[in-house]
Amino acid sequence: MIDVVIAGGGPTGLMLACELALAGARPVVLERLAEPGIERRANGLVGEVVRMMDRRGLYERLTGTPGAPEPVRGFVFGAFPLPLADLHHNLYTLPVPQRRIEEVLTERAAELGVDVRRGHEVTGLVQDEDAVTIEVGGREPVRARFLVGADGGHSVVRKLAGIGFPGVTSDEAVSYSADVSVPPEILGPDGELVVPGFGVVPPFQHLRTERGMITWAPFPGRNPTLNTMEWGLPADGEASLAEVRASAARMLGVDLPLGPPTDEGPHLMRRLFGGNTRIAERYRDRRVFLLGDAAHVHSAIGGPGLNLGLQDAVNLGWKLAAAVRGDVDVLDTYESERRPVAQRVAMHTQAQSLLLRPGGEVTAFRELFAELLALRGTRQHLADLLAGADIRYDMGTTGELVGQFAPDLVDQRDLTHSGRALLLDPTGLLDAAPWRKSVDVVEMPDLDCAFLLRPDCFVAWAGADQDGLHEALTRWFGPGTH
């Protein structure tokens, strides 16, 4: 019998497959599409997931250059610049197209022996006490101990499991995204647009005007992308360069001379009406779990989607593998830990969307918000929120850093590539031998106390007492072998 079937071969499904394989489980990925899609989607990673990818040895693969991630000196929130250089914890970003992320994860999954079956569409499921029988269109059914729906916002698995998807749908806004070219004479030295009659449109910033929002993204090595968002326009016709140019003119009050892209493509030309913010009523129905967009959808503003979904995968993977082995059942903690994170992402993306809207009342609110952003504490709070660095799970114990994503206490990059739990012991005297199947012990003399890191790199325990350590080990990894 298959250990875990994952419906969906996008980034979150592939990441989960890699995590399961690292933990010794046997996943099978069923992907509906026969070939990888060529459409442009996310433009990279934002937040703590960047450090997580580094801790799995994937960061250098994605960048193509050696070295650990460095925090950025600034970001955006609700079309405001967000200076970060003076904060004690900054955001990490990784500007890599989603297609490249999928390529790297596909390569890693193959190295780990993951069975990825393309052209396999899940059409039905039946659960019993021991397993899930999964119907696959035009093929023999497969049977697995667990099924994970990583099949997007329109998740078939979620619908088959009867899990509701409540939330808010807005049909007031229309957004355009297109690859374009511009005359070289309006390009500034730092990639900004210098538009006669308007002024500067900065690169990689959400620029809000009294008519809507415009974003200019001159990605290196390819044609730049222009995005606009407006409210109260009819939803008809086909998206075209002329329509994008007209939208940009409405945003700026002057014509922006946009031309067609000049590289080989594929090229982006997209118009979207409205948007959804939805979170699944529950993330689990017995042996069926939801992951990524199947569990939550929200505005893409600020790029939180892959941060949220990939960390769902890292949270769920080792827990499913432990359940498959019979070590311990901590599967209910997947929803209790990750659903509140999705709620916070939904909250701040909705708040940012409101800050983008045109109108005098919004302008007044933005004036007040600008005053708040001058306060270092406000910017620190928003940086932590965007990064997911404010997450704190209930670990059943207390102590500094317990329940948080592990800081860079030591150079942990090589230690966490295996996906195993880590006990960092400054004394060399703590005993974790009964859990050697799940936990690696590393002596770290420079630490003030010992730290137990779960496979997802969250701190499960910190201290020096043997009893407290054993209690934490038992909770997360079972009774051990005495």
Side-chain angles (χ1 to χ4, degrees):
M1 184 189 301
I2 298 169
D3 289 337
V4 182
V5 163
I6 302 166
T12 56
L14 291 169
M15 188 72 184
L16 176 62
C18 292
E19 291 295 299
L20 286 164
L22 283 172
R26 295 169 298 145
V28 171
V29 177
L30 304 181
E31 168 53 49
R32 177 179 59 85
L33 298 178
E35 299 292 338
I38 62 171
E39 69 275 8
R40 292 258 300 278
R41 302 187 70 181
N43 290 308
L45 305 178
V46 177
E48 295 292 75
V49 71
V50 176
R51 290 202 296 158
M52 190 68 240
M53 299 300 272
D54 186 47
R55 290 177 174 180
R56 287 294 187 262
L58 298 172
Y59 179 80
E60 291 183 350
R61 290 194 187 196
L62 289 165
T63 62
T65 58
E70 295 289 341
V72 294
R73 297 179 63 82
F75 201 65
V76 291
F77 185 92
F80 282 97
L82 186 64
L84 303 172
D86 62 332
L87 303 184
H88 73 266
H89 185 284
N90 287 349
L91 274 171
Y92 295 83
T93 65
L94 178 55
V96 176
Q98 181 169 321
R99 285 175 59 193
R100 178 56 184 159
I101 296 171
E102 291 184 7
E103 288 172 359
V104 168
L105 290 174
T106 299
E107 293 167 359
R108 182 57 174 150
E111 293 168 1
L112 294 169
V114 174
D115 184 0
V116 178
R117 304 176 186 177
R118 287 196 164 273
H120 286 59
E121 182 176 6
V122 173
T123 58
L125 65 89
V126 177
Q127 299 191 62
D128 57 41
E129 185 176 341
D130 301 316
V132 186
T133 301
I134 301 129
E135 297 176 14
V136 184
R139 303 176 187 272
E140 290 293 318
V142 296
R143 192 162 166 81
R145 289 181 172 85
F146 298 99
L147 169 64
V148 179
D151 49 345
H154 299 287
S155 171
V156 171
V157 171
R158 185 185 65 237
K159 295 171 184 176
L160 291 171
I163 298 175
F165 204 37
V168 177
T169 296
S170 171
D171 58 2
E172 297 178 330
V174 57
S175 60
Y176 301 92
S177 301
D179 291 343
V180 297
S181 61
V182 296
E185 58 267 21
I186 70 168
L187 276 174
D190 297 317
E192 71 274 19
L193 292 177
V194 183
V195 184
F198 174 80
V200 173
V201 178
F204 303 108
Q205 298 278 338
H206 298 121
L207 177 62
R208 185 255 185 190
T209 75
E210 286 295 342
R211 292 163 291 278
M213 188 271 293
I214 186 168
T215 306
W216 168 248
F219 294 106
R222 70 176 201 236
N223 277 113
T225 300
L226 187 86
N227 299 274
T228 65
M229 180 177 289
E230 302 179 71
W231 281 260
L233 293 180
D236 52 26
E238 294 293 330
S240 66
L241 180 62
E243 192 170 12
V244 172
R245 185 168 179 169
S247 178
R250 288 192 292 271
M251 297 302 97
L252 302 178
V254 298
D255 182 55
L256 181 59
L258 301 175
T262 57
D263 64 5
E264 295 182 358
H267 297 134
L268 178 65
M269 176 60 70
R270 183 171 61 212
R271 179 176 55 188
L272 298 175
F273 294 103
N276 288 288
T277 299
R278 299 184 177 276
I279 300 175
E281 287 180 336
R282 58 191 188 278
Y283 281 21
R284 178 186 186 182
D285 179 66
R286 293 172 289 166
R287 292 183 172 272
V288 176
F289 292 80
L290 300 179
L291 179 69
D293 288 354
H296 41 70
V297 295
H298 48 78
S299 168
I301 187 168
L306 285 178
N307 187 20
L308 184 57
L310 291 173
Q311 296 222 70
D312 287 347
V314 177
N315 184 286
L316 180 60
W318 67 275
K319 296 175 180 178
L320 275 176
V324 166
R325 293 192 303 267
D327 294 342
V328 67
D329 186 351
V330 290
L331 290 173
D332 283 342
T333 65
Y334 169 58
E335 178 175 338
S336 65
E337 291 180 351
R338 295 305 298 169
R339 197 171 188 276
V341 182
Q343 291 172 324
R344 286 189 65 73
V345 171
M347 175 271 290
H348 78 69
T349 53
Q350 287 179 301
Q352 290 188 74
S353 296
L354 286 174
L355 285 166
L356 299 180
R357 295 179 69 101
E361 290 178 338
V362 177
T363 299
F365 178 51
R366 288 179 62 85
E367 291 177 2
L368 173 61
F369 200 83
E371 295 180 9
L372 296 176
L373 282 177
L375 303 175
R376 187 175 183 274
T378 301
R379 288 183 287 109
Q380 183 70 64
H381 183 85
L382 293 179
D384 291 344
L385 177 66
L386 292 170
D390 59 346
I391 299 170
R392 186 155 191 159
Y393 299 149
D394 179 8
M395 296 292 181
T397 185
T398 59
E400 186 180 3
L401 301 179
V402 171
Q404 299 181 46
F405 190 65
D408 292 317
L409 302 169
V410 293
D411 184 3
Q412 303 160 1
R413 301 175 73 209
D414 295 336
L415 299 177
T416 54
H417 287 186
S418 67
R420 289 168 56 82
L422 279 176
L423 174 61
L424 307 178
D425 181 7
T427 66
L429 301 176
L430 291 171
D431 176 25
W435 292 270
R436 64 172 64 89
K437 182 173 65 174
S438 302
V439 182
D440 291 333
V441 180
V442 181
E443 288 191 31
M444 293 288 174
D446 294 336
L447 297 180
D448 294 330
C449 68
F451 290 89
L452 175 64
L453 308 187
R454 302 189 321 188
D456 58 358
C457 294
F458 276 75
V459 179
W461 171 86
D465 61 301
Q466 191 74 58
D467 291 342
L469 171 63
H470 282 191
E471 182 180 344
L473 287 166
T474 301
R475 177 182 184 186
W476 294 110
F477 308 107
T481 55
H482 293 273

